[in-house]
Amino acid sequence: MAAERAVVARARRRVGLLVGLAVTVLVSLVGAVSYGMLVRGQERQIQRELAYTAVRGDPSGPPGCTWLFLLHDGQLVSGAVPAPAGFPLTAAMTATAATRTPATDRIERNGTVYFVLTEPRGEDVVQAIFDARYQLADRRHLLLALVVAELVGLLAAVTSGLVVGRLTVAPLAEALARQRRFIADVSHELRTPIAQLHTRAQVLARRAGSTGVPANYRSELDRLVGTSRRLGEVVNDLLLSARLAAMPDDRPATTPVDLAALAEAAVVAETDRAAEQGVTLTLSRPDVPVPVPGVESALRRVISELLTNALRHTPAHGRIDVTVRRRDDVAELMVVDTGEGFDPADRIFDRFHSGVGAEKRHTGLGLALLREVVTGHGGTIEARSHPGQGAQFAVRLPLRSSPDP
């Protein structure tokens, strides 16, 4: 069934997403640690180079990526290799000469980054400059490698996640299928003995009424008849649920069903019962058919169950209005009653749900099956209510776009 397949597919996606997320986070963490270690190691290497150049370097022959300037008796001494534009930092050298305090600067210039160390050397002041362009290039190469690794890891994560999700959720799908088969088999086997039990209970109740059995015994027999009838309804609902779940999602739904005619037939069938309960039952429908694609028996069950539910919860002198209408490309069926209503917090479409509060409303399988039938036909069903203010059920199904050839 679509609902079960949706649950299985959702579980697969969730497992796949979690596995993919875990792999992605792991790759990102490894990349971040690697990049951090590289940056930290480069900065330490740069500081060592600057310190060595400042202490032992000679302005006339510093290493290739470093430059050294010496401030001696107010005179600036530089090496033979010209320094980059903007160097040396004379202000920093003057300040260090006055305060005798070392200073470290990081300068972004000329498309690269320079690290500058200015410190005293005896009576003089030296300034070592290091060009970190090669270190920055190493960082960019590492970042590019990490991005490529991240993309590859993400692709591997998605693939492995889908595979793991499918393997992990496969037992769930099999369990759902077995559960469905079990319910169908058990329900089928129970139908005959329950029907026999209900028939015998009815016979006993009729005989008790004609043979002078005490009233309290006849009352208990009537309760037995009602209980056996409800038991049969539950078994039939379980069997219908299993059959609905077993129907393929891609089955052709080409049979046109006149929703308005079904609603009219259901209202006519319940008119006498409504009159016995003192409930006014009305129908509003268009003069033309309202065709929807689907299974006639299943849609008839939807309308019948909605009317039965409304009659069950509508007291004498109440009212039930059934409306069928077209709205754009949707057929809408409304069943509105003035009954006891229900709490909006109640999940009335859950199987065997009992409502909240003091007046718990047990819904059994009926409304849950309605939702399965309606969603199986590509439609929706909604319920609105408040305690003591009646209930409104709305079923919306796609209209048949074109007649059969």
Side-chain angles (χ1 to χ4, degrees):
M1 181 185 175
E4 291 184 0
R5 288 185 174 88
V7 170
V8 173
R10 190 161 52 247
R12 286 175 178 171
R13 288 194 299 269
R14 185 172 299 175
V15 172
L17 178 62
L18 291 176
V19 173
L21 182 62
V23 174
T24 302
V25 170
L26 180 61
V27 173
S28 301
L29 181 61
V30 172
V33 171
S34 301
Y35 185 77
M37 292 179 64
L38 174 65
V39 171
R40 188 173 181 181
Q42 287 180 343
E43 290 181 349
R44 288 181 176 178
Q45 178 188 0
I46 291 171
Q47 295 301 324
R48 288 194 298 268
E49 292 281 351
L50 288 174
Y52 179 85
T53 302
V55 173
R56 300 184 181 182
D58 185 348
S60 61
C65 291
T66 59
W67 293 266
L68 182 65
F69 295 91
L70 177 66
L71 185 62
H72 177 70
D73 293 334
Q75 298 296 321
L76 185 63
V77 180
S78 61
V81 180
F87 293 100
L89 303 179
T90 55
M93 297 183 73
T94 303
T96 300
T99 62
R100 313 304 293 177
T101 302
T104 301
D105 297 288
R106 185 178 185 274
I107 307 297
E108 295 185 11
R109 185 179 295 171
N110 305 326
T112 184
V113 176
Y114 299 95
F115 291 85
V116 181
L117 174 62
T118 306
E119 65 178 17
R121 181 196 284 182
E123 297 297 326
D124 302 328
V125 173
V126 294
Q127 185 174 89
I129 304 169
F130 186 89
D131 185 353
R133 68 178 66 245
Y134 296 112
Q135 284 74 13
L136 295 179
D138 290 342
R139 296 180 189 181
R140 287 192 295 268
H141 294 158
L142 178 59
L143 284 177
L144 179 61
L146 291 177
V147 170
V148 173
E150 184 72 20
L151 293 177
V152 174
L154 182 60
L155 179 61
V158 172
T159 304
S160 61
L162 292 176
V163 174
V164 172
R166 183 175 295 275
L167 295 177
T168 304
V169 179
L172 172 61
E174 178 64 21
L176 289 174
R178 290 185 178 182
Q179 180 190 53
R180 185 169 59 246
R181 290 194 297 268
F182 174 77
I183 292 175
D185 293 342
V186 171
S187 301
H188 182 75
E189 293 297 327
L190 288 177
R191 290 182 71 185
T192 299
I194 291 177
Q196 294 174 350
L197 173 64
H198 181 60
T199 301
R200 292 175 182 175
Q202 288 178 311
V203 171
L204 287 176
R206 285 197 297 268
R207 289 179 180 177
S210 61
T211 56
V213 174
N216 58 334
Y217 289 174
R218 293 199 302 271
S219 176
E220 291 298 324
L221 287 173
D222 291 337
R223 292 178 60 184
L224 178 61
V225 171
T227 301
S228 62
R229 181 182 66 252
R230 287 191 294 273
L231 181 59
E233 292 174 352
V234 170
V235 171
N236 288 332
D237 286 344
L238 286 171
L239 184 58
L240 176 60
S241 176
R243 287 175 176 174
L244 286 173
M247 295 177 69
D249 295 332
D250 56 352
R251 65 186 184 278
T254 58
T255 304
V257 179
D258 187 355
L259 189 64
L262 287 182
E264 183 175 359
V267 169
V268 170
E270 296 290 354
T271 298
D272 292 340
R273 179 182 172 189
E276 291 177 1
Q277 297 181 198
V279 176
T280 301
L281 180 59
T282 67
L283 171 67
S284 175
R285 54 155 294 180
D287 296 332
V288 296
V290 182
V292 295
V295 181
E296 181 176 346
S297 59
L299 294 178
R300 182 185 297 112
R301 174 67 182 269
V302 170
I303 302 174
S304 175
E305 184 67 26
L306 288 177
L307 285 178
T308 300
N309 180 73
L311 286 169
R312 183 183 301 122
H313 298 286
T314 302
H317 310 296
R319 183 181 182 90
I320 301 175
D321 297 317
V322 180
T323 304
V324 180
R325 59 189 176 187
R326 293 169 174 256
R327 301 188 66 178
D328 299 329
D329 57 347
V330 173
E332 185 176 68
L333 168 71
M334 303 283 295
V335 178
V336 181
D337 64 64
T338 59
E340 62 192 33
F342 57 87
D343 193 301
D346 282 356
R347 300 186 303 275
I348 61 172
F349 291 107
D350 288 358
R351 298 188 175 202
F352 301 107
H353 172 68
S354 294
V356 300
E359 297 295 332
K360 292 189 175 182
R361 180 173 181 166
H362 186 75
T363 59
L365 276 172
L367 295 181
L369 284 178
L370 294 195
R371 182 173 61 179
E372 292 183 9
V373 172
V374 172
T375 55
H377 283 73
T380 61
I381 181 170
E382 298 177 353
R384 297 180 181 179
S385 180
H386 288 282
Q389 300 181 18
Q392 172 182 303
F393 288 83
V395 176
R396 297 179 179 87
L397 297 167
L399 279 169
R400 183 174 178 81
S401 58
S402 60
D404 285 340

